[in-house]
Coordinates of all heavy atoms in Angstrom, one line a residue:
V51 N -1.4 11.0 16.5 CA 0.0 10.7 16.7 C 0.4 11.3 18.1 O 0.1 12.4 18.4 CB 1.0 11.4 15.7 CG1 2.4 11.2 16.0 CG2 0.7 10.8 14.3
D52 N 0.9 10.4 18.9 CA 1.3 10.8 20.3 C 2.7 11.6 20.2 O 3.7 11.0 19.9 CB 1.5 9.5 21.2 CG 1.8 9.9 22.6 OD1 2.0 11.1 22.9 OD2 1.8 8.9 23.4
G53 N 2.6 12.9 20.5 CA 3.8 13.7 20.4 C 4.9 13.4 21.4 O 6.0 13.7 21.1
D54 N 4.5 12.7 22.5 CA 5.5 12.4 23.5 C 6.5 11.3 23.0 O 7.6 11.1 23.6 CB 4.8 11.8 24.8 CG 4.1 12.9 25.5 OD1 4.4 14.1 25.3 OD2 3.1 12.6 26.3
L55 N 6.1 10.6 21.9 CA 7.0 9.6 21.4 C 8.1 10.2 20.4 O 9.0 9.4 20.1 CB 6.2 8.6 20.6 CG 5.1 7.8 21.4 CD1 4.4 6.9 20.4 CD2 5.7 7.1 22.5
F56 N 8.0 11.5 20.1 CA 8.9 12.1 19.2 C 9.4 13.4 19.7 O 8.7 14.2 20.3 CB 8.3 12.3 17.8 CG 7.7 11.0 17.2 CD1 6.3 10.7 17.4 CD2 8.5 10.2 16.5 CE1 5.8 9.6 16.9 CE2 7.9 9.0 15.9 CZ 6.6 8.7 16.1
E57 N 10.7 13.7 19.5 CA 11.3 14.9 19.9 C 10.8 16.1 19.1 O 10.7 16.0 17.8 CB 12.8 14.9 19.9 CG 13.5 16.1 20.4 CD 15.0 16.0 20.4 OE1 15.5 14.9 20.1 OE2 15.7 17.0 20.8
D58 N 10.4 17.2 19.7 CA 9.9 18.4 19.0 C 8.8 18.1 18.1 O 8.8 18.4 16.9 CB 11.1 19.1 18.3 CG 10.7 20.5 17.8 OD1 9.7 21.1 18.5 OD2 11.3 21.1 16.9
C59 N 7.8 17.4 18.6 CA 6.6 17.1 17.8 C 5.4 17.1 18.7 O 5.3 16.4 19.7 CB 6.7 15.7 17.2 SG 5.3 15.1 16.3
P60 N 4.4 18.0 18.4 CA 3.2 18.0 19.3 C 2.3 16.9 18.9 O 2.5 16.2 17.9 CB 2.5 19.4 18.8 CG 3.0 19.5 17.4 CD 4.4 19.0 17.4
A61 N 1.3 16.6 19.7 CA 0.3 15.6 19.4 C -0.4 16.0 18.1 O -0.7 17.2 18.0 CB -0.7 15.4 20.5
L62 N -0.6 15.1 17.2 CA -1.2 15.5 15.9 C -2.4 14.7 15.6 O -2.6 13.6 16.0 CB -0.1 15.1 14.8 CG 1.2 15.8 14.9 CD1 2.2 15.2 13.9 CD2 1.1 17.3 14.7
A63 N -3.3 15.4 14.9 CA -4.5 14.7 14.2 C -4.2 14.7 12.7 O -3.9 15.7 12.1 CB -5.8 15.4 14.5
V64 N -4.1 13.5 12.1 CA -3.7 13.4 10.7 C -4.9 12.8 10.0 O -5.5 11.7 10.3 CB -2.5 12.5 10.6 CG1 -2.1 12.3 9.1 CG2 -1.3 13.0 11.4
G65 N -5.4 13.5 8.9 CA -6.5 13.0 8.1 C -6.0 12.4 6.8 O -5.0 13.0 6.2
Y66 N -6.6 11.3 6.4 CA -6.2 10.7 5.1 C -7.3 10.1 4.4 O -8.4 9.8 5.0 CB -5.1 9.7 5.4 CG -5.5 8.5 6.2 CD1 -5.9 7.3 5.5 CD2 -5.5 8.4 7.6 CE1 -6.3 6.1 6.2 CE2 -5.9 7.3 8.3 CZ -6.3 6.2 7.6 OH -6.7 5.1 8.3
I67 N -7.2 9.9 3.1 CA -8.2 9.1 2.4 C -7.6 7.8 2.0 O -6.3 7.6 1.8 CB -8.6 9.9 1.1 CG1 -7.4 10.1 0.2 CG2 -9.3 11.1 1.4 CD1 -7.7 10.6 -1.2
R68 N -8.4 6.7 2.0 CA -7.9 5.4 1.7 C -8.6 4.9 0.4 O -9.8 4.9 0.3 CB -8.3 4.4 2.8 CG -7.8 3.0 2.6 CD -8.5 2.0 3.6 NE -7.9 0.7 3.5 CZ -8.1 -0.2 2.5 NH1 -8.8 0.2 1.5 NH2 -7.5 -1.4 2.6
E69 N -7.8 4.6 -0.6 CA -8.3 4.0 -1.8 C -7.8 2.5 -1.9 O -7.1 2.1 -1.0 CB -7.8 4.8 -3.0 CG -8.4 6.2 -3.0 CD -7.9 7.1 -4.1 OE1 -7.1 6.6 -4.9 OE2 -8.4 8.2 -4.3
S70 N -8.1 1.9 -2.9 CA -7.8 0.4 -3.0 C -6.3 0.2 -3.0 O -5.9 -0.9 -2.5 CB -8.5 -0.2 -4.3 OG -8.0 0.5 -5.4
D71 N -5.5 1.0 -3.6 CA -4.1 0.8 -3.8 C -3.2 1.9 -3.2 O -2.0 1.9 -3.4 CB -3.7 0.6 -5.2 CG -4.1 1.7 -6.1 OD1 -4.8 2.6 -5.6 OD2 -3.7 1.8 -7.3
R72 N -3.8 2.9 -2.6 CA -3.0 4.0 -2.1 C -3.7 4.7 -1.0 O -5.0 4.6 -0.8 CB -2.8 5.0 -3.2 CG -4.1 5.7 -3.8 CD -3.8 6.6 -4.9 NE -3.2 7.8 -4.5 CZ -4.0 8.9 -4.2 NH1 -5.3 8.9 -4.2 NH2 -3.4 10.0 -3.9
I73 N -2.9 5.5 -0.2 CA -3.4 6.3 0.9 C -2.8 7.7 0.6 O -1.6 7.8 0.3 CB -3.0 5.8 2.3 CG1 -3.8 4.6 2.7 CG2 -3.1 6.9 3.3 CD1 -3.4 4.0 3.9
E74 N -3.6 8.7 0.8 CA -3.1 10.1 0.6 C -3.4 10.9 1.9 O -4.6 11.0 2.3 CB -3.7 10.8 -0.6 CG -3.2 12.3 -0.7 CD -3.8 13.0 -1.9 OE1 -4.1 12.3 -2.9 OE2 -4.0 14.2 -1.8
I75 N -2.4 11.4 2.6 CA -2.6 12.2 3.7 C -3.0 13.6 3.3 O -2.3 14.2 2.5 CB -1.3 12.3 4.6 CG1 -0.9 10.9 5.1 CG2 -1.4 13.3 5.7 CD1 0.4 10.8 5.9
R76 N -4.1 14.0 3.8 CA -4.7 15.3 3.4 C -4.5 16.5 4.3 O -4.4 17.6 3.9 CB -6.3 15.1 3.2 CG -6.7 14.3 2.0 CD -6.3 15.0 0.7 NE -6.7 14.3 -0.5 CZ -7.9 14.5 -1.0 NH1 -8.8 15.3 -0.5 NH2 -8.2 13.8 -2.1
Y77 N -4.3 16.2 5.6 CA -4.0 17.3 6.5 C -3.3 16.8 7.7 O -3.4 15.6 8.1 CB -5.2 18.1 6.9 CG -6.2 17.3 7.8 CD1 -6.0 17.1 9.1 CD2 -7.4 16.8 7.2 CE1 -6.9 16.4 9.9 CE2 -8.3 16.2 8.0 CZ -8.1 16.0 9.3 OH -9.0 15.3 10.1
V78 N -2.5 17.7 8.3 CA -1.8 17.4 9.6 C -2.2 18.6 10.5 O -1.9 19.8 10.2 CB -0.3 17.3 9.4 CG1 0.4 17.1 10.8 CG2 0.0 16.2 8.5
N79 N -2.8 18.3 11.7 CA -3.3 19.4 12.5 C -2.9 19.1 14.0 O -3.2 18.1 14.6 CB -4.8 19.3 12.4 CG -5.5 20.5 13.2 OD1 -4.9 21.5 13.5 ND2 -6.7 20.3 13.6
P80 N -2.1 20.0 14.6 CA -1.7 19.9 16.0 C -3.0 19.8 16.8 O -3.9 20.7 16.7 CB -0.9 21.1 16.3 CG -0.3 21.5 15.0 CD -1.4 21.2 14.0
I81 N -3.1 18.8 17.7 CA -4.3 18.6 18.5 C -4.4 19.7 19.5 O -5.5 20.1 20.0 CB -4.2 17.2 19.2 CG1 -4.4 16.1 18.2 CG2 -5.3 17.1 20.3 CD1 -4.3 14.7 18.7
S82 N -3.3 20.4 19.8 CA -3.4 21.5 20.8 C -4.3 22.6 20.3 O -4.8 23.4 21.1 CB -2.0 22.1 21.0 OG -1.4 22.6 19.8
F83 N -4.5 22.7 19.0 CA -5.5 23.7 18.5 C -6.9 23.4 19.0 O -7.7 24.3 19.1 CB -5.6 23.6 17.0 CG -4.3 24.2 16.3 CD1 -4.1 23.9 14.9 CD2 -3.4 25.0 16.9 CE1 -3.0 24.4 14.3 CE2 -2.3 25.5 16.3 CZ -2.1 25.2 15.0
T84 N -7.2 22.2 19.3 CA -8.6 21.8 19.6 C -8.8 21.6 21.1 O -9.9 21.1 21.5 CB -9.0 20.6 18.8 OG1 -8.2 19.5 19.2 CG2 -8.8 20.8 17.3
A85 N -7.8 21.9 21.9 CA -8.1 21.7 23.3 C -9.1 22.7 23.8 O -9.2 23.8 23.4 CB -6.7 21.9 24.1
P86 N -9.9 22.3 24.9 CA -10.9 23.3 25.4 C -10.2 24.5 26.0 O -9.1 24.4 26.5 CB -11.5 22.4 26.5 CG -11.3 21.0 26.2 CD -9.9 21.0 25.5
A87 N -10.8 25.6 25.9 CA -10.2 26.9 26.4 C -10.1 26.8 27.9 O -11.0 26.3 28.6 CB -11.1 28.0 25.9
E88 N -9.1 27.4 28.4 CA -8.9 27.6 29.8 C -9.8 28.7 30.3 O -10.1 29.6 29.5 CB -7.4 28.0 30.1 CG -6.5 26.9 29.8 CD -6.7 25.6 30.7 OE1 -7.0 25.8 31.9 OE2 -6.5 24.5 30.2
P89 N -10.2 28.7 31.6 CA -11.0 29.8 32.1 C -10.3 31.1 31.9 O -9.1 31.2 32.0 CB -11.2 29.5 33.5 CG -11.0 28.0 33.6 CD -10.0 27.7 32.6
V90 N -11.0 32.2 31.6 CA -10.4 33.5 31.4 C -11.0 34.5 32.5 O -12.0 34.2 33.1 CB -10.6 34.1 30.0 CG1 -10.0 33.2 29.0 CG2 -12.1 34.2 29.7
A91 N -10.3 35.6 32.6 CA -10.7 36.6 33.7 C -12.1 37.1 33.4 O -12.9 37.3 34.3 CB -9.7 37.7 33.8
D92 N -12.4 37.5 32.2 CA -13.7 38.1 31.9 C -14.6 37.1 31.1 O -14.6 37.1 29.9 CB -13.4 39.4 31.0 CG -14.7 40.2 30.9 OD1 -15.8 39.7 31.3 OD2 -14.6 41.4 30.6
A93 N -15.3 36.3 31.8 CA -16.0 35.2 31.1 C -17.2 35.8 30.4 O -17.7 35.2 29.4 CB -16.5 34.2 32.2
Q94 N -17.7 37.0 30.8 CA -18.9 37.6 30.1 C -18.5 37.9 28.7 O -19.4 37.8 27.8 CB -19.3 38.9 30.9 CG -20.5 39.5 30.3 CD -20.9 40.8 31.0 OE1 -20.3 41.1 32.0 NE2 -22.0 41.4 30.6
D95 N -17.3 38.3 28.4 CA -16.9 38.6 27.0 C -16.9 37.4 26.2 O -16.9 37.5 24.9 CB -15.6 39.3 27.0 CG -15.7 40.8 27.4 OD1 -16.7 41.4 27.0 OD2 -14.8 41.2 28.2
L96 N -16.8 36.2 26.8 CA -16.7 35.0 26.0 C -18.0 34.2 26.0 O -18.0 33.0 25.6 CB -15.6 34.1 26.6 CG -14.2 34.6 26.5 CD1 -13.2 33.7 27.1 CD2 -13.8 34.9 25.1
E97 N -19.1 34.8 26.4 CA -20.3 34.0 26.5 C -20.8 33.5 25.2 O -21.6 32.5 25.2 CB -21.4 34.9 27.2 CG -21.8 36.2 26.4 CD -22.7 37.0 27.2 OE1 -23.1 36.7 28.3 OE2 -23.2 38.1 26.6
Q98 N -20.4 34.2 24.1 CA -20.9 33.7 22.8 C -19.9 32.7 22.2 O -20.2 32.1 21.1 CB -21.0 34.9 21.8 CG -22.1 35.9 22.3 CD -22.2 37.0 21.3 OE1 -21.4 37.2 20.5 NE2 -23.2 37.8 21.5

Side-chain angles (χ1 to χ4, degrees):
V51 173
D52 185 352
D54 291 337
L55 299 178
F56 305 95
E57 185 177 355
D58 194 21
C59 177
L62 303 170
V64 180
Y66 68 94
I67 59 171
R68 184 195 187 286
E69 298 179 353
S70 59
D71 59 348
R72 62 185 285 271
I73 285 174
E74 180 179 326
I75 294 177
R76 286 294 183 88
Y77 67 77
V78 178
N79 184 22
I81 292 178
S82 60
F83 288 163
T84 62
E88 295 294 327
V90 298
D92 193 345
Q94 182 177 0
D95 284 318
L96 295 178
E97 61 185 4
Q98 296 180 348

